[in-house]
Amino acid sequence: MKKADIHEFFRRLEENNPEPEGELNYVNPFTLLVAVVLSAQATDVGVNKATGPLFAIADTPEKIFALGEDTLRDYIKTIGLYKTKAKNVIKLCEALIRDHDSKVPETREELEKLAGVGRKTANVVLNIAFGHPTIAVDTHLFRLGNRTGLAPGKTPLEVEKKLEKKIPKEFLRHAHHWLILHGRYVCKARKPECYRCIVADLCAFKGKTVA
């Protein structure tokens, strides 16, 4: 995609949704971190159903650590891979209490040292909690990067690096939200709804759909 088209692509997404928000519910940076860890291979809706009751009684590392792994499992048992995730969240809480004065660190390096936290999770937390202009490449961003011609790549990291380089700075902070929402509701995996896409004319996808 040409530089001018990329600018127009994001200008339209911004015009359509000036202040995009993630769909995971949270009350502070810590609960956001926990929610993102729980969201791996799960839907935001499913995670929110489980974390609503959990965060109502435990919204700090100390409180969730005090629950213990078994009780935490009961709260999140409707989420896929809940046993492994419960173990990781308890370890994560322990590390935050021990090493970070119970605060969520604001660097990718420190975040990635926490149990259950990979590059994508760290990027989401840095972006939403701290306003860093990071790009978290999930399945939606990976698909859009390749399908639209915006940032073709064989790996999520390759797509991430290209997006960071190609997206104009003025749009970087909200870019991953716009792309996630666009991929979730318009540029869907199986059948993209090109006929109602506001950037269809800029997109390189050859198999455009009609209503």
Side-chain angles (χ1 to χ4, degrees):
M1 197 181 290
K2 295 176 183 176
K3 191 174 181 179
D5 288 344
I6 292 173
H7 190 281
E8 177 62 13
F9 186 99
F10 285 99
R11 188 200 67 76
R12 291 184 198 175
L13 293 180
E14 180 183 50
E15 185 178 58
N16 185 59
N17 186 5
E19 293 291 331
E21 294 183 355
E23 297 184 316
L24 284 172
N25 294 335
Y26 65 97
V27 293
N28 55 35
F30 168 69
T31 53
L32 171 67
L33 174 60
V34 172
V36 180
V37 167
L38 295 178
S39 72
Q41 298 179 51
T43 66
D44 289 358
V45 172
V47 172
N48 288 340
K49 283 181 180 176
T51 57
L54 172 63
F55 293 159
I57 60 130
D59 58 0
T60 66
E62 289 85 356
K63 289 177 183 176
I64 287 188
F65 186 74
L67 288 178
E69 193 176 323
D70 289 344
T71 302
L72 180 58
R73 276 186 193 173
D74 287 338
Y75 275 98
I76 66 170
K77 63 187 177 185
T78 55
I79 301 173
L81 308 173
Y82 74 96
K83 291 180 181 178
T84 300
K85 289 176 180 178
K87 188 175 292 186
N88 283 337
V89 169
I90 293 296
K91 284 183 181 176
L92 178 155
C93 291
E94 189 176 18
L96 288 177
I97 295 164
R98 182 187 65 236
D99 302 329
H100 299 285
D101 196 26
S102 298
K103 294 183 174 66
V104 176
E106 201 176 329
T107 69
R108 184 189 287 128
E109 182 183 13
E110 290 300 324
L111 282 167
E112 286 187 9
K113 290 178 184 177
L114 300 171
V117 178
R119 186 181 181 90
K120 185 183 79 172
T121 296
N123 281 344
V124 172
V125 172
L126 289 171
N127 181 269
I128 298 176
F130 302 115
H132 291 206
T134 52
I135 304 289
V137 177
D138 65 353
T139 55
H140 297 300
L141 268 80
F142 187 72
R143 181 173 70 253
L144 262 68
N146 282 285
R147 180 185 276 170
T148 63
L150 187 61
K154 293 180 179 178
T155 66
L157 183 58
E158 190 178 347
V159 171
E160 178 189 327
K161 293 294 185 185
K162 284 189 177 181
L163 286 171
E164 284 181 345
K165 188 177 179 181
K166 291 185 174 185
I167 296 171
K169 286 185 179 180
E170 69 214 76
F171 302 122
L172 261 177
R173 185 182 170 193
H174 291 315
H176 102 265
H177 271 135
W178 286 319
L179 293 173
I180 285 172
L181 294 171
H182 194 65
R184 189 172 285 167
Y185 298 111
V186 181
C187 196
K188 299 174 183 178
R190 292 185 181 178
K191 192 177 181 183
E193 297 179 2
C194 307
Y195 49 87
R196 67 181 192 90
C197 174
I198 60 173
V199 289
D201 59 309
L202 304 171
C203 170
F205 182 51
K206 292 180 181 177
K208 289 191 172 71
T209 60
V210 292

